[in-house]
Amino acid sequence: MLNKTIEQWFKENADSVDSLAREIWEYREEPHHEFNSCKANADYLRARGFEVTTFNARHDDAPDTAIVAKFGSGHPVVGIYGEYDALPGLGQDPIPERSPREGYGHGCGHNLMAAGTTSAVCAAKEAMVKEGLKGTIVYIGCPAEEGGAGKMYMLRDGYFDILDCLLGWHPRTNDLAVQEKLQMTMGHAVIEFHGVASHAAVDPEHGRSALDACELMNVGVNYLREHCTDDVRIHYSYLAAGERPNVVPAYAALDYYFRSRDLESCHELLERIKKVAYGAAMMTETTCDFKVDFLHSGCQPLDSFNTFLYESAKKVPPLVYTDAEKQFGATLSKNVTGKDVDPEDALPYKLAEPFHKFYFASGSTDVGCVTYKIPTARIYGLGVPRCMTMHSWGVVASAGSSVGFKAARYAGSILAQCAYDIFRDPDKVQTFKAELDERLKGKCRDQIFPK
Ligand SMILES: [Zn+2]
């Protein structure tokens, strides 16, 4: 059964959790610029008795983007992490019809993630106080999950090291499940080429085009794909490509993401991409500056921890949507896909059983690097209609509505219950640690942290 204190906390604080989700949804800030979201999230925890530290994860002069909020003392130290960054071009009103807003939108539902996980630490704290449980509950607020590797800065600087274990939740289109995907190792690099400018018509022989180098590098990488395993993903965009056709570009730059199944293969892939870049520089008589921003692992799930989390999840009463919320889901689904959807089937709401088997899936998340160090268990699903694709306007609409808010509270109750169950059974943490050591035995663990 769901712990009574946790249940009571959610009854009394439903409005404030929804307000926090709504506030962060309204801010919809870009990665590494979540200044208002971070402040709102930190203030919420400060007001509820947490010892809160905020800081800028990249140590630049900008305001704070990251949070570590603690309550209690000693072991076990149970962390729960949240994210609050939004995505470009996805602004949308919180209604089931297309109604765009300028700028960013919560197309991955990170406002729900922040509010849900924050509610979890608050409710767990109340249960700890009520029963005099020993241990520390910690909220880790992380910037820039969307390509900014926010957690890598925080892991590099030791903010996760205090934890014995870590919990998380991410909204998604499926019924709620423990995360059993290994996900992909991912790297990010910026490649700059420097050439010589000249008049493209009058004096072309004196020019050395940095843009040509970029184009040849991309052609080379596209040929490289043929000789990679199926798990490899490489994508790029231009950061600079010259200004005008009549000036041979002395400077051009590319932005590269590259992914594969594990750290070892991703390091190998990086070396092969470097060769192509240097080859392009040689061909064009330009110079190449290849900067690796970061390279982080995929995720390492743990069956022992997942099973424990699933047992906690079963204690929480099911998520129930009202007819109006089901209709919101059906209307939104129809407006996105053009297909009629039965309101009873529009929204995910169930708790799925674990497979007890890990599987490879494309896509990456920066929590991967943390899962290689701290035993981590995550749940994902809910808050978004089943037919939706993530990173789309429909997700923004749903994440700004009670469909999303209710899912956040439900997921929050599960994580609070799981944290509570760990405080009641602190030796379990050793089992999680032992499984992590066993699973990573002999595997490459070299991550490249941002400078
Ligand atoms: Zn996300």
Side-chain angles (χ1 to χ4, degrees):
M1 245 177 54
L2 175 60
N3 172 274
K4 285 283 167 224
T5 310
I6 293 171
E7 189 173 23
Q8 190 62 25
W9 189 91
F10 276 97
K11 266 192 195 131
E12 288 167 5
N13 292 277
D15 289 348
S16 77
V17 176
D18 293 5
S19 296
L20 179 64
R22 182 62 191 251
E23 191 177 348
I24 295 173
W25 185 89
E26 288 286 355
Y27 290 140
R28 54 205 173 93
E29 292 164 299
E30 65 175 294
H32 285 303
H33 293 77
E34 308 93 329
F35 312 132
N36 295 306
S37 307
C38 173
K39 187 177 181 310
N41 201 157
D43 287 348
Y44 188 95
L45 290 155
R46 220 172 261 126
R48 283 156 186 82
F50 280 78
E51 182 196 320
V52 181
T53 309
T54 60
F55 51 96
N56 185 288
R58 290 198 297 195
H59 302 300
D60 54 25
D61 292 333
D64 295 345
T65 52
I67 306 168
V68 175
K70 294 181 206 169
F71 178 82
S73 61
H75 293 274
V77 184
V78 180
I80 304 182
Y81 74 97
E83 297 163 2
Y84 28 64
D85 55 332
L87 290 156
L90 291 179
Q92 158 73 27
D93 286 321
I95 55 171
E97 287 79 31
R98 182 72 177 122
S99 178
R101 288 186 184 185
E102 281 283 304
Y104 279 65
H106 272 289
C108 209
H110 291 183
N111 65 310
L112 303 177
M113 188 179 181
T117 52
T118 296
S119 71
V121 293
C122 292
K125 168 192 170 256
E126 288 308 303
M128 290 168 77
V129 171
K130 171 99 176 173
E131 298 182 28
L133 295 173
K134 196 176 152 296
T136 310
I137 183 88
V138 183
Y139 177 74
I140 310 240
C142 309
E145 188 274 340
E146 299 290 356
K151 290 178 200 69
M152 289 210 89
Y153 293 88
M154 298 175 76
L155 184 67
R156 176 196 71 186
D157 294 340
Y159 290 106
F160 287 97
D161 292 350
I162 56 167
L163 306 176
D164 287 314
C165 61
L166 181 66
L167 292 163
W169 167 64
H170 196 298
R172 225 183 144 79
T173 54
N174 50 279
D175 287 321
L176 194 73
V178 292
Q179 185 59 270
E180 296 178 296
K181 290 178 199 156
L182 295 161
Q183 293 178 281
M184 302 176 89
T185 298
M186 173 182 172
H188 175 227
V190 171
I191 301 102
E192 295 177 299
F193 291 97
H194 297 274
V196 179
S198 73
H199 193 300
V202 178
D203 217 9
E205 70 275 20
H206 290 120
R208 297 293 180 269
S209 172
L211 177 59
D212 288 356
C214 288
E215 294 191 87
L216 287 167
M217 176 181 171
N218 293 338
V219 168
V221 166
N222 288 330
Y223 275 96
L224 174 67
R225 290 178 204 280
E226 189 188 352
H227 305 287
C228 291
T229 46
D230 290 350
D231 53 296
V232 167
R233 299 280 188 281
I234 311 171
H235 5 271
Y236 56 83
S237 64
Y238 281 82
L239 294 171
E243 300 290 332
R244 293 205 180 180
N246 63 351
V247 181
V248 171
Y251 176 78
L254 295 164
D255 204 15
Y256 261 77
Y257 286 179
F258 47 98
R259 314 183 202 225
S260 69
R261 69 188 174 280
D262 57 19
L263 278 166
E264 193 174 3
S265 63
C266 206
H267 282 288
E268 284 169 14
L269 178 61
L270 169 61
E271 292 310 311
R272 296 179 82 189
I273 294 171
K274 275 185 190 168
K275 282 181 193 164
V276 176
Y278 295 137
M282 192 189 285
M283 281 192 276
T284 51
E285 296 178 272
T286 58
T287 57
C288 171
D289 191 5
F290 197 113
K291 288 194 193 103
V292 182
D293 179 23
F294 63 77
L295 194 160
H296 67 68
S297 64
C299 294
Q300 182 54 67
L302 302 171
D303 195 46
S304 57
F305 201 178
N306 274 347
T307 304
F308 190 89
L309 174 54
Y310 177 66
E311 290 303 317
S312 300
K314 284 200 291 190
K315 298 175 186 172
V316 178
L319 174 63
V320 180
Y321 280 120
T322 62
D323 288 344
E325 286 160 343
K326 290 174 187 170
Q327 192 52 56
F328 179 102
T331 307
L332 179 55
S333 301
K334 166 94 181 169
N335 286 334
V336 167
T337 65
K339 289 181 193 146
D340 285 317
V341 178
D342 178 354
E344 293 301 321
D345 289 334
L347 300 172
Y349 64 94
K350 293 177 202 154
L351 174 65
E353 273 184 52
F355 296 111
H356 300 291
K357 221 163 87 180
F358 304 147
Y359 57 101
F360 179 77
S362 62
S364 317
T365 171
D366 63 354
V367 81
C369 64
V370 184
T371 68
Y372 268 52
K373 196 154 189 203
I374 310 292
T376 303
R378 301 173 296 147
I379 39 175
Y380 72 107
L382 312 177
V384 179
R386 289 186 193 279
C387 65
M388 214 65 47
T389 51
M390 297 304 283
H391 294 199
S392 68
W393 71 265
V395 176
V396 184
S398 195
S401 77
S402 69
V403 167
F405 302 163
K406 219 180 228 185
R409 281 187 270 121
Y410 173 66
S413 310
I414 290 172
L415 296 181
Q417 179 67 41
C418 184
Y420 168 83
D421 289 337
I422 294 168
F423 289 122
R424 298 261 308 187
D425 187 4
D427 292 345
K428 263 280 169 326
V429 175
Q430 300 313 323
T431 314
F432 307 155
K433 285 182 181 174
E435 188 184 340
L436 181 61
D437 285 345
E438 185 59 33
R439 290 200 182 267
L440 294 182
K441 204 186 276 174
K443 276 194 190 169
C444 173
R445 297 194 202 189
D446 300 336
Q447 321 246 2
I448 300 175
F449 288 92
K451 298 254 162 36

